[in-house]
Amino acid sequence: MDEMKALDALLGLGILGSLLDPHNMKAPDIEKFKAQAEAKRAEARKDATDFMLRDADRQAKAAKALYDAYIKAGFTDTQAFELTKATTEND
């Protein structure tokens, strides 16, 4: 039984040694890593831009709906514009 444990330990050390052998290790592919990182950055920039455009569209529609509601309530164009401006500046 002890012989099996010793054999297992030797085999484990042999495998571990071959994994850690500096001659078998490949240098990291820095250019590949840079390309992957840049691709992820470009995707994140596109996602952020898309989000900002959707948010700007949503805000513009909300401001227009608010302006239209002020007009419908009987305010003049100038009053509706100023009220919309004041309301959206506080957001």
Side-chain angles (χ1 to χ4, degrees), residues 11-75:
L11 284 172
L13 285 174
I15 292 169
L16 184 60
S18 69
L19 291 174
L20 298 177
D21 182 7
H23 301 292
N24 288 336
M25 292 182 67
K26 292 182 181 176
D29 188 348
I30 300 299
E31 294 306 316
K32 181 180 175 183
F33 176 75
K34 283 181 184 178
Q36 289 172 341
E38 183 53 42
K40 286 183 181 183
R41 277 194 295 271
E43 183 179 347
R45 280 194 225 74
K46 182 186 178 311
D47 289 347
T49 300
D50 291 347
F51 174 80
M52 287 188 308
L53 291 173
R54 284 191 312 272
D55 191 52
D57 186 54
R58 181 191 60 78
Q59 288 182 28
K61 287 176 181 175
K64 175 70 167 106
L66 187 60
Y67 173 83
D68 290 344
Y70 285 131
I71 294 292
K72 188 175 178 181
F75 291 96

